[in-house]
Amino acid sequence: MTKEINPNLLAWGLLLILALIWGSSFILIKRGLDVYSAGEVGAIRIVSASLFLLPFAVGRLKTLHKRHWLFLFSVGMFGSFLPAFLFAKAQTHLPSSVAGIINALTPLFTMILGALFFMQKITAKTAIGLVTGFLGTAALILAGSGGDASEFNLYGLYV
C-alpha cells in the first residue's frame, strides 16, 4: 500500500529545498573564491550543473526542433553561462550578502525585458510591486554601505 504525499507539504518542502540551494549559492561562490579564481568558480558551476542536468537532457534532445536551438542557446548563455562567471567576478569585490540582495532585482529586469521584447503588459499592481522591491533592494544596498551612496561598488553591476 502506497501512502499519498500531502501536496501542500510537498510544495513547502520543495520551496525549502529551492531556498537552500539559491540562498547558499552566494556563500558557496565566496568560499570557492578563497581557493579558485573567478573564472574557475564560474567554470565549476557550469560544469557541475551540466553534469547534473545531462541525464535529463539526453532523451529529450531528439524531440528538439532545429528552430529552437538558437533560442535555447541564447537562454543558456544569458541565463546560466554568463551569470555564473559574472557573479563570481562580482564577488571578488562584493560580500556574498550584497550579491544576494542585488540579485533580488531579477524580477524587475525580467519584467522590463518582457515588456520590451515580448509585449508583456505591466499592470498597476505589478508596477507597485516592482517599485517596492526596487526601493527595498536599494535601501538594503545603501544600508550595507553605511547609507553613503558614494560607496557604490561598480562590481554590483556584474550581478
Side-chain angles (χ1 to χ4, degrees):
M1 178 178 354
T2 60
K3 187 173 181 180
E4 191 171 316
I5 298 174
N6 180 342
N8 287 333
L9 185 61
L10 178 63
W12 279 105
L14 291 173
L15 180 62
L16 179 65
I17 291 168
L18 184 60
L20 289 171
I21 291 169
W22 271 343
S24 65
S25 67
F26 300 104
I27 193 68
L28 290 173
I29 292 169
K30 195 62 154 180
R31 295 291 61 95
L33 289 169
D34 291 341
V35 180
Y36 302 107
S37 71
E40 290 170 331
V41 170
I44 290 168
R45 291 181 69 205
I46 290 299
V47 168
S48 60
S50 299
L51 290 174
F52 179 81
L53 294 172
L54 188 63
F56 300 102
V58 169
R60 291 183 171 84
L61 286 176
K62 296 177 211 149
T63 62
L64 193 61
H65 297 289
K66 287 191 183 217
R67 68 178 186 268
H68 295 139
W69 279 98
L70 181 60
F71 177 73
L72 287 175
F73 177 78
S74 300
V75 169
M77 287 297 292
F78 294 111
S80 295
F81 188 80
L82 291 175
F85 290 93
L86 292 174
F87 270 86
K89 182 64 176 172
Q91 284 192 245
T92 61
H93 292 82
L94 288 175
S96 59
S97 58
V98 173
I101 291 168
I102 296 171
N103 189 52
L105 293 172
T106 300
L108 171 69
F109 291 110
T110 302
M111 283 302 298
I112 291 170
L113 290 173
L116 289 174
F117 296 108
F118 302 106
M119 308 312 163
Q120 175 73 35
K121 293 195 183 346
I122 299 176
T123 65
K125 187 188 276 188
T126 303
I128 290 168
L130 291 171
V131 169
T132 303
F134 178 77
L135 293 175
T137 303
L140 287 170
I141 292 169
L142 289 176
S145 65
D148 186 3
S150 67
E151 292 184 30
F152 180 76
N153 190 330
L154 290 177
Y155 279 87
L157 297 176
Y158 283 39
V159 176

